[in-house]
Amino acid sequence: MIQTPYYLIDKSKLLQNMEKIAKLRELSGAKALLALKCFATWSVFDFMRDYMDGTTSSSLNEVRLGHERFGKETHAYSVAYADYEIDEVVSHADKIIFNTVGQLQRFEKQSSGIIRGLRLNPGVSSSTFDLADPARPFSRLGEWNVKEVEPVMDLISGFMIHNNCENGNFDLFDKMLGQIEGKFAPLLKKAEWVSLGGGIHFTGPDYPLEQFAERLKRFSGEFGVQVYLEPGEASITKSTTLEVTVLDKLYNGKNLVVVDSSIEAHMLDLLIYRENAKVSPNQGPHRYMVCGKSCLAGDIFGEFDFPNELNIGDRISIQDAAGYTMVKKNWFNGVKMPAIAIRELDGSLRTVREFSYTDYEQSLS
């Protein structure tokens, strides 16, 4: 058995998402780019490459990783590029998407050799979290004024619009896309390509994939553009677990267990968005609060029901642990960094990365 904690990527579950992405590409004509800000574990890029068209990024490091490890089409985007990094960004990208007209004009010369685009902000989104809402008041994410963009249309050929966040509601997507069409029609009619970003949970079990494909195809035909999607969570949902071991147990008004992991260090989004982890099947007569081993008082995965009493040495699988986990993991408290393992299609397991004290030491100075 592999020593916990470790992230376990199950290729058979990853394949289910990949097949839905491939079907959507076939039905709609849209292209799909893996959003590296969500998932960048390149050990499975060779597997994902057959089902996707490339990657999209949010930084120099991500665009380089996408170019070198995934290949195919590589989109570069950043909220702001620095003078010292723009040349290297361009060297790794097929397309560069600027966040503002100001950045586009500032780096017009450096980016003249590749395809350029601009981010648009429609002022509407599906986010229920202000922290993650790209359309929040005074948002810095993209241009919203058509009249500001029209004068620079000769410098760009397309747009990126990202306003979906964990949106599994097709009707809401359809409604917001209609608003985008209404607001930005003068610009879209002059474009050659449009990325509708990520955050669309179209690989979910009940999502109307055919209806979604038809809507994308209609949008593409209406404006004569190549549509891109940037699935992050949709690419890897339910494919990965975080495997942990019970280290201690106690009773303090509730039955508690402490495991060899930490939400602050290994599943940071649970802390940021005040969410509970997922344990399956979460049924049985024995209820425990599963706690992390860091010194943070709120380092708690959640309360779950188990079929049997938990004891020291027992293992727990935290479900759906791929998105925004490995890309955010950190060395808080010096807690052991989870290894990364893969379950192959034949059921065999292999560890692809382990982290040592040297990694911890060298992350500091």
Side-chain angles (χ1 to χ4, degrees):
M1 296 180 68
I2 302 172
Q3 176 65 54
T4 59
Y6 63 94
Y7 301 102
L8 176 59
I9 304 170
D10 189 327
K11 279 189 176 179
S12 66
K13 295 179 180 178
L14 182 60
L15 179 61
Q16 295 176 30
N17 298 320
M18 293 295 101
E19 288 176 337
K20 288 183 179 180
I21 289 173
K23 182 178 180 181
L24 179 67
R25 291 166 65 210
E26 179 182 359
L27 292 176
S28 68
K31 294 186 176 183
L33 307 174
L34 175 63
L36 297 178
K37 65 180 180 180
C38 173
F39 182 81
T41 306
W42 49 265
S43 293
V44 289
F45 281 2
D46 60 339
F47 182 71
M48 303 173 79
R49 189 181 296 121
D50 291 337
Y51 301 90
M52 304 187 74
D53 296 284
T55 58
T56 186
S57 58
S58 300
S59 66
L60 169 57
N61 283 338
E62 285 186 355
V63 71
R64 178 175 175 177
L65 184 74
H67 174 68
E68 294 183 354
R69 292 290 186 175
F70 199 103
K72 303 185 79 170
E73 196 164 344
T74 306
H75 286 204
Y77 166 76
S78 177
V79 173
Y81 295 107
D83 289 347
Y84 64 82
E85 64 184 359
I86 188 65
D87 290 337
E88 189 175 356
V89 168
V90 169
S91 74
H92 294 299
D94 299 297
K95 287 186 176 70
I96 186 167
I97 300 163
F98 291 99
N99 188 60
T100 63
V101 169
Q103 282 256 305
L104 169 65
Q105 293 174 327
R106 180 178 178 182
F107 297 119
E108 176 185 348
K109 181 178 179 180
Q110 293 95 322
S111 62
S112 61
I114 61 173
I115 297 170
R116 294 182 292 211
L118 189 67
R119 179 168 183 171
L120 298 178
N121 191 328
V124 294
S125 84
S126 66
S127 177
T128 57
F129 298 102
D130 179 67
L131 180 66
D133 185 357
R136 64 189 289 175
F138 316 112
S139 175
R140 72 196 191 287
L141 300 175
E143 296 283 357
W144 57 273
N145 190 334
V146 172
K147 291 183 179 179
E148 293 288 333
V149 177
E150 284 179 332
V152 297
M153 285 301 298
D154 61 322
L155 300 180
I156 62 175
S157 61
F159 299 101
M160 187 268 276
I161 305 168
H162 174 52
N163 67 323
N164 287 278
C165 301
E166 296 186 347
N167 185 8
N169 184 333
F170 170 75
D171 290 336
L172 177 57
F173 167 81
D174 182 35
K175 176 183 176 182
M176 292 195 302
L177 186 56
Q179 292 172 307
I180 289 169
E181 291 170 325
K183 181 172 184 175
F184 293 126
L187 301 177
L188 299 176
K189 289 178 180 178
K190 298 177 182 179
E192 298 175 9
W193 56 272
V194 175
S195 171
L196 296 176
I200 309 165
H201 196 50
F202 64 87
T203 55
D206 300 316
Y207 197 87
L209 197 66
E210 289 81 5
Q211 196 174 356
F212 181 47
E214 188 279 329
R215 184 65 176 95
L216 295 177
K217 197 170 185 177
R218 181 153 41 97
F219 175 81
S220 175
E222 174 71 20
F223 295 101
V225 294
Q226 171 64 59
V227 172
Y228 287 88
L229 298 175
E230 302 177 4
E233 286 275 9
S235 301
I236 45 78
T237 184
K238 297 182 179 180
S239 68
T240 301
T241 57
L242 174 59
E243 301 294 317
V244 302
T245 297
V246 175
L247 300 179
D248 197 8
K249 55 188 296 188
L250 62 153
Y251 180 82
N252 189 11
K254 293 183 177 181
N255 288 310
L256 314 178
V257 293
V258 179
V259 299
D260 58 352
S261 182
S262 161
I263 65 168
E264 171 135 10
H266 307 151
M267 295 190 75
L268 186 58
D269 267 13
L270 297 181
L271 186 65
I272 292 173
Y273 296 109
R274 304 285 183 175
E275 295 179 336
N276 287 333
K278 301 172 186 175
V279 170
S280 183
N282 197 14
Q283 295 177 351
H286 300 277
R287 188 165 184 82
Y288 291 90
M289 179 183 289
V290 178
C291 307
K293 67 172 292 182
S294 81
C295 67
L296 181 70
D299 191 355
I300 299 168
F301 286 88
E303 294 186 38
F304 311 102
D305 297 319
F306 296 88
N308 302 303
E309 180 182 352
L310 290 180
N311 292 297
I312 295 171
D314 287 346
R315 293 201 172 191
I316 301 173
S317 294
I318 307 298
Q319 303 295 303
D320 209 6
Y324 297 100
T325 56
M326 286 172 267
V327 295
K328 289 189 175 187
K329 65 186 186 300
N330 61 73
W331 287 106
F332 178 65
N333 269 196
V335 175
K336 177 179 170 63
M337 189 75 73
I340 300 174
I342 295 173
R343 177 178 285 122
E344 301 289 351
L345 295 178
D346 63 5
S348 62
L349 268 67
R350 63 184 177 100
T351 302
V352 295
R353 180 66 197 272
E354 292 181 288
F355 299 89
S356 66
Y357 168 76
T358 301
D359 295 306
Y360 166 67
E361 181 190 35
Q362 293 183 356
S363 72
L364 302 167
S365 60

